[in-house]
Amino acid sequence: MVTKAKGLLTPAQRTRLLSLDKLTSEEFKSYFSFSAEDIEVINRHRGRANRMGFGTQLCLVRYPGIAFSDDLEIPRHLLDYIGAQLNIPVSEFKNYGKGKNTLFSHLTEICTYYNYQEFTSTAQNKLIKFLENAVTESFDELYLMQLSIHELRKQRVLLPNLVEIERLIFSIKSTNETNLYKKITSILTEEQKVKIDQLLVIGVESKKSKLAWLKDISGKSNKDAALEVCYRIQTIKHIGLRKINVNFVHENRLGQLANVAERYDSYDFNRFNADKRYALLTAFLAKYHQVLIDHLINIHTRILLTIKRSGQNAAKELQRSTGERANELLKHYVQLIETIAAARSSGENVLSKIENVLNWDHLLAEAEQAKCLVQPKRFSYMDLIKKKASYLRGYVPVMLEVLDLNSKKTDDTLLAALDHITFMSKESKRKVSTDISLDFVKKKWKPLVQDKDGLIDRSFFELTAATELTDRLRSGEIFEHNSVMYRELDDYLVDPAIMTGSLTIPDTFEEYITSRSTILDEKLKK
C-alpha cells in the first residue's frame, strides 16, 4: 500500500528525478542563465540576500520545477553560478527568508510574472487524465513519474511533493489494472477458460503442471529440441487465443503483463481471482507463443548451419586424405612419363619398357583408384550433405504445420514446395512430384536438385527448401505473423492512420515537397 511516508519510489530515486547532475553544461546554462529582464526583476528587491534568494527561487522554478523550502539542499555550484551573475557573495544566501512571508511572496511574484502556477486541484485533474492515458501503455512506476514531471513542467505547474504524484499513479494503476483484467477476461469463451485452467493442473505422474512444462524448453539445437518446441506451440494454438482480439491493449502493456505472469507458477495463479488469473495467462500465452515461434526458427537455422559446417569439414577432410593418395599416384605418373620418354628416345618398345619398370597389374589398380579420386568439376560441400536430409525430415514437416508462413507474392514457389514437403510426409510419399516448380532453387543447387533427365532428388529438394526458408525469413520476403523477429516488414512501420493529420509531418509527399520548396525559395530570396 502506498502511504504518504513511503510511496512507490525509494528516496534515492526521488533524489535522482530532481537532481541537477544529469544536466549537460548547455542545459545548465539554458535553465539558470538570467536575461537582462530577469536581472531587472531581481534588482527590484531590496537587500543582497533577497536578490540572491529571489534569483535562486526563479532558477528552481525553471528546473527542476519546485518551490524553495528550508529543508531543500541546493547544490553549491548552482549558488556560485547565480552569485556570479548577480555580483553577490554566496554567503548572503544564508540570510534569505528570515523575514515574515518572504519566501511565499517571492514565489507568488515569480508565478505571476513568469506565468507559472502551483499544483492546484485543476492541475491535479489534468494530470489524472494524462496518467489515465499513459498507464494504457506502461505500468512502470519510474517511467510514469518521469512522464508526470515532464508534463507538469510543460504545463508550467510547480511540482508537488513527489509522494503525492506517486499516490495518484498508484490509484490510477490499480483502477486501470482491475478494468483491464476484466476486459481481457470478458473476450474469452468458457471453453478457452477451461483450457487455460487445465494448464494449472498438476500431473499425477509428472508432478508438475502443463504450464511448467510449457516454460521448460531446451537450449539445445537439435531435432528433439525442435519437436519439443513444436509440441508446445501446438498446445498454445489448441487453446484458440488467435481467435480473440487484444488490440485494445498496448503492445508494451501486454508485454509487461506477460513478464509479470512469467514470474508466477501454478500455485500462485490458483490464488488469484478469476479475472487476474485469466488476463495474466492470456497475455503470457500470447507473448510466449511469439517467443516459441522465434526460438523454433532459430533452432532450425542453427541446425542448418551445423549441417553446412559438417559438410565443409567433410570436404576439407576428403581433400586432405585424397591429396595424400593423389600425391603417390602422381609420383608413379611422373615415373611412367619418364619411362615412355626414355623408350621413345632409345627406340625401345614402350610397353616392354613400362613392364620392366612398373608392374602392369599395379598400374591398372592405381588407374581405378585415380578414377575414385577424380571429383566432379563443380564439387563442393553440398555433395556431401545429402544424407542429412533424413535428419531434417524428422522435424521439418511438423515445424511447417505449426508455422503460419506467408508471402507477399501471390504464387510463391517456395511456399508451394514447403506445402509439398508436408504433403509427402503425411501421405508417406517418397518421390517429389515432377509438377512442382523449382524457381526458388538457386543456381548452385540446381544440378543437385534436378538431374539432366528432369528427375528431382528428394533429399536435395528438401535441403534446398529448408535452407531457402531461413534466407527468405531473414530478408523479410516470407514472414510469420505470430513472430517478433520474422513478422511482416510493414508491422515495424508507423501506422499510416496515426501519421495522418500530424501537425509536423505532411500527409503526402506532394505536401512535403511543396512546403520545403517554399521555405527554400524564401531563404534564397534573402
Side-chain angles (χ1 to χ4, degrees):
M1 191 70 182
V2 177
T3 63
K4 186 172 182 179
K6 189 174 180 182
L8 294 171
L9 306 181
T10 64
Q13 287 175 318
R14 295 191 194 102
T15 300
R16 282 196 296 271
L17 284 173
L18 301 180
S19 174
L20 308 184
D21 295 336
K22 57 187 176 184
L23 296 177
T24 63
S25 59
E26 290 77 13
E27 289 172 332
F28 185 89
K29 291 176 182 178
S30 66
Y31 280 121
F32 306 131
S33 295
F34 297 134
S35 65
E37 183 183 3
D38 294 335
I39 298 292
E40 182 184 346
V41 173
I42 293 171
N43 286 336
R44 291 175 190 171
H45 299 85
R46 297 193 318 177
R48 292 193 298 181
N50 283 337
R51 290 196 292 273
M52 184 70 182
F54 187 92
T56 303
Q57 282 224 60
L58 177 57
C59 289
L60 293 175
V61 166
R62 286 175 173 168
Y63 191 90
I66 58 176
F68 174 74
S69 60
D70 292 334
D71 58 346
L72 181 65
E73 186 174 342
I74 301 174
R76 175 66 188 225
H77 64 282
L78 175 59
L79 294 175
D80 289 337
Y81 191 72
I82 295 170
Q85 294 180 84
L86 301 177
N87 294 317
I88 298 174
V90 175
S91 57
E92 290 289 344
F93 182 72
K94 64 183 179 181
N95 299 319
Y96 177 62
K98 293 186 177 181
K100 188 177 181 181
N101 297 327
T102 301
L103 297 178
F104 179 74
S105 63
H106 284 183
L107 179 62
T108 303
E109 183 181 348
I110 290 171
C111 290
T112 303
Y113 190 87
Y114 291 97
N115 195 28
Y116 286 94
Q117 57 180 307
E118 295 189 64
F119 189 71
T120 60
S121 58
T122 303
Q124 178 174 305
N125 292 334
K126 288 182 180 179
L127 181 60
I128 289 173
K129 290 182 180 179
F130 174 79
L131 285 171
E132 285 174 343
N133 182 59
V135 294
T136 61
E137 179 180 340
S138 175
F139 256 34
D140 183 82
E141 290 93 352
L142 187 57
Y143 170 74
L144 292 172
M145 280 294 296
Q146 291 169 336
L147 274 184
S148 300
I149 292 172
H150 178 74
E151 179 65 16
L152 290 174
R153 286 173 182 160
K154 190 169 71 172
Q155 299 297 330
R156 302 180 75 84
V157 176
L158 298 184
L159 301 181
N161 189 310
L162 293 188
V163 175
E164 192 171 340
I165 301 178
E166 293 170 42
R167 289 205 305 273
L168 285 178
I169 291 173
F170 177 80
S171 175
I172 294 168
K173 273 185 56 177
S174 300
T175 303
N176 179 273
E177 192 173 67
T178 301
N179 294 337
L180 184 59
Y181 289 163
K182 288 180 179 179
K183 194 169 183 179
I184 294 176
T185 304
S186 67
I187 62 177
L188 296 174
T189 64
E190 291 303 318
E191 182 183 0
Q192 288 171 331
K193 292 178 182 177
V194 170
K195 290 178 179 178
I196 290 175
D197 284 334
Q198 289 173 349
L199 296 177
L200 306 178
V201 177
I202 307 295
V204 178
E205 295 182 1
S206 63
K207 302 299 181 182
K208 68 178 183 179
S209 65
K210 188 165 282 189
L211 177 64
W213 170 77
L214 278 175
K215 294 180 180 180
D216 185 18
I217 57 176
S218 171
K220 297 179 180 179
S221 298
N222 53 39
K223 177 180 67 176
D224 293 335
L227 287 173
E228 286 296 319
V229 175
C230 288
Y231 299 148
R232 283 159 174 78
I233 294 173
Q234 288 173 339
T235 300
I236 295 176
K237 292 177 74 172
H238 178 66
I239 299 173
L241 295 180
R242 290 181 61 190
K243 299 177 183 177
I244 67 173
N245 186 357
V246 291
N247 288 341
F248 58 87
V249 186
H250 193 281
E251 190 72 18
N252 291 347
R253 187 71 192 96
L254 193 67
Q256 289 176 341
L257 290 176
N259 291 337
V260 170
E262 192 174 6
R263 298 198 296 263
Y264 298 128
D265 56 24
S266 300
Y267 174 77
D268 296 317
F269 282 112
N270 285 321
R271 291 189 297 111
F272 297 153
N273 63 61
D275 287 341
K276 184 175 181 179
R277 178 169 68 252
Y278 292 132
L280 288 177
L281 283 171
T282 299
F284 169 74
L285 293 172
K287 285 294 184 181
Y288 195 59
H289 186 194
Q290 296 176 336
V291 171
L292 290 175
I293 292 290
D294 288 342
H295 186 53
L296 175 59
I297 295 174
N298 289 338
I299 288 176
H300 175 62
T301 302
R302 289 195 291 268
I303 288 175
L304 290 176
L305 288 174
T306 301
I307 291 175
K308 180 179 179 180
R309 280 196 297 268
S310 67
Q312 291 173 333
N313 292 336
K316 289 178 182 178
E317 178 60 26
L318 181 61
Q319 288 177 348
R320 187 192 64 78
S321 58
T322 56
E324 293 175 356
R325 182 56 186 154
N327 188 51
E328 295 179 12
L329 295 177
L330 284 172
K331 287 180 180 178
H332 290 170
Y333 175 74
V334 171
Q335 189 178 5
L336 176 63
I337 296 299
E338 289 175 345
T339 302
I340 294 173
R344 290 189 64 183
S345 298
S346 62
E348 297 180 66
N349 184 281
V350 174
L351 293 178
S352 300
K353 187 73 172 177
I354 291 174
E355 288 182 345
N356 291 334
V357 177
L358 298 170
N359 184 286
W360 184 253
D361 292 333
H362 288 170
L363 193 61
L364 292 176
E366 287 182 347
E368 291 300 320
Q369 292 177 17
K371 289 180 183 178
C372 296
L373 294 177
V374 174
Q375 297 173 349
K377 184 177 180 181
R378 294 187 176 182
F379 177 80
S380 71
Y381 76 90
M382 292 184 286
D383 297 84
L384 303 174
I385 61 174
K386 182 177 180 178
K387 292 182 180 180
K388 298 294 184 179
S390 59
Y391 186 85
L392 294 180
R393 217 167 286 149
Y395 76 91
V396 168
V398 182
M399 179 186 76
L400 294 176
E401 284 187 21
V402 301
L403 293 179
D404 183 18
L405 300 173
N406 296 274
S407 172
K408 286 193 172 182
K409 297 180 182 177
T410 52
D411 297 315
D412 196 308
T413 56
L414 176 58
L415 291 185
L418 296 174
D419 289 339
H420 192 64
I421 291 174
T422 306
F423 169 77
M424 287 192 296
S425 176
K426 283 184 177 180
E427 301 297 325
S428 300
K429 300 286 185 181
R430 292 188 176 182
K431 293 185 178 180
V432 180
S433 172
T434 54
D435 297 332
I436 197 74
S437 173
L438 299 178
D439 290 345
F440 69 92
V441 180
K442 292 179 179 176
K443 186 177 180 180
K444 64 181 180 180
W445 284 94
K446 269 279 173 63
L448 300 173
V449 175
Q450 191 174 37
D451 61 19
K452 295 179 181 179
D453 298 325
L455 296 176
I456 298 176
D457 187 297
R458 178 181 178 179
S459 296
F460 281 120
F461 173 78
E462 291 175 334
L463 280 166
T464 304
T467 303
E468 191 65 19
L469 173 60
T470 59
D471 293 341
R472 297 275 190 93
L473 282 168
R474 279 198 290 257
S475 68
E477 295 178 58
I478 288 179
F479 50 89
E480 222 286 3
H481 282 301
N482 297 306
S483 169
V484 174
M485 297 174 62
Y486 307 102
R487 60 185 179 183
E488 189 175 4
L489 292 176
D490 290 348
D491 292 345
Y492 295 97
L493 304 178
V494 178
D495 188 347
I498 298 175
M499 300 295 294
T500 304
S502 171
L503 297 176
T504 56
I505 304 174
D507 293 339
T508 64
F509 174 75
E510 288 73 19
E511 291 179 23
Y512 168 78
I513 198 66
T514 301
S515 64
R516 302 311 295 176
S517 298
T518 303
I519 294 172
L520 180 60
D521 289 341
E522 291 176 356
K523 289 189 175 182
L524 289 174
K525 288 177 183 179
K526 294 179 181 179

